[in-house]
Amino acid sequence: RALPDGFDFILMDACFMSSVEVLYELRNKAEYFISSPAEVIANGFPYDEIAPYLWGGEEDFRKICKTFFDFYNEHEDPHRMGWQSATVSLVKSAELEELMAATRNILRQRTDFQGITAWSYPLSYSTLPDVFFDLGDYIGQVATAEQYAEFRKQLARTVIYKLATPEFFFQPIPEDQFSGLSTYIPYPQWAAMNQAYFGLSWPQSVYEK
């Protein structure tokens, strides 16, 4: 509510912001979003390197993503601290409504989430369970082959650029399970979190409660 509409882009230099729930909530605020579906190492974005691209358009936003990725992918890490860890996505907000519709077509009226084992983005350390699941992998587990093929087309129109290092804190990032967007799965054992979750626009639109 505090943000006005009409930004060219919003870059979120914080962990786990390339969440479909976050971006859908902000979909009317900017044309593009640059963010990470995983953690962002404490140094964040290399602003001295990305500054020339902050006044550009889509191609410059891709360069911001690539510069961020290169900064970590090529970082020296002699003490095995996990420096070579980064994920980043460029999301086109105009496509988020269609992505919601494609997701809703597959998930509407679903109430049983047991047995879904979608890949989740690694956590360096947390008391939380793994709650940041990959959206593409999640849908791939519950959709028919035909549904999933159509969903992937819309996902590609929404996440127009994405990069990930081969590992994140020494845990492999499987290329076929990295869509560039995370999501939450409302398992029944997470009742308290689910109650908060269904206060957001994405689950209210996607699931029929």
Side-chain angles (χ1 to χ4, degrees):
R1 288 193 298 267
L3 284 174
D5 296 349
F7 287 102
D8 295 328
F9 75 98
I10 295 176
L11 184 154
M12 289 180 272
D13 195 350
C15 303
F16 301 115
M17 289 295 100
S18 192
S19 145
V20 73
E21 291 87 358
V22 169
L23 301 187
Y24 190 73
E25 205 76 24
L26 296 173
R27 65 194 181 280
N28 297 319
K29 300 301 178 181
E31 293 183 35
Y32 297 90
F33 295 101
I34 300 167
S35 51
S36 172
E39 293 183 64
V40 176
I41 290 179
N43 284 38
F45 280 72
Y47 289 94
D48 57 332
E49 297 181 40
I50 68 172
Y53 309 128
L54 295 175
W55 288 267
E58 185 176 306
E59 288 308 308
D60 282 318
F61 301 155
R62 291 172 186 263
K63 291 176 183 176
I64 291 173
C65 295
K66 182 64 163 57
T67 303
F68 170 81
F69 169 79
D70 288 343
F71 179 79
Y72 291 100
N73 191 49
E74 299 171 4
H75 203 292
E76 294 183 3
D77 192 18
H79 303 295
R80 295 278 291 171
M81 300 294 290
W83 272 102
Q84 293 172 330
S85 302
T87 63
V88 66
S89 304
L90 176 61
V91 172
K92 194 170 186 176
S93 62
E95 297 291 339
L96 284 166
E97 205 66 57
E98 288 299 321
L99 184 68
M100 182 280 294
T103 307
R104 176 180 169 82
N105 184 50
I106 296 165
L107 294 180
R108 65 186 304 172
Q109 298 181 327
R110 188 176 184 95
T111 57
D112 178 17
F113 299 94
Q114 298 294 359
I116 299 171
T117 55
W119 181 73
S120 59
Y121 288 88
L123 300 169
S124 59
Y125 173 79
S126 178
T127 56
L128 278 175
D130 289 332
V131 296
F132 299 100
F133 297 96
D134 186 82
L135 176 65
D137 194 44
Y138 171 37
I139 298 302
Q141 299 233 4
V142 299
T144 65
E146 183 179 359
Q147 285 176 325
Y148 189 54
E150 289 303 308
F151 174 83
R152 293 292 301 185
K153 292 177 185 177
Q154 181 55 46
L155 183 62
R157 290 191 287 268
T158 307
V159 183
I160 58 175
Y161 192 62
K162 58 187 173 74
L163 293 165
T165 50
E167 295 182 344
F168 201 98
F169 297 135
F170 310 111
Q171 297 185 50
I173 299 179
E175 186 176 350
D176 61 344
Q177 294 175 295
F178 170 64
S179 71
L181 283 175
S182 74
T183 194
Y184 174 85
I185 300 175
Y187 291 117
Q189 64 266 32
W190 293 346
M193 290 193 290
N194 292 344
Q195 184 175 2
Y197 181 65
F198 280 98
L200 299 172
S201 300
W202 176 266
Q204 288 176 1
S205 300
V206 164
Y207 300 96
E208 288 193 349
K209 291 295 291 177

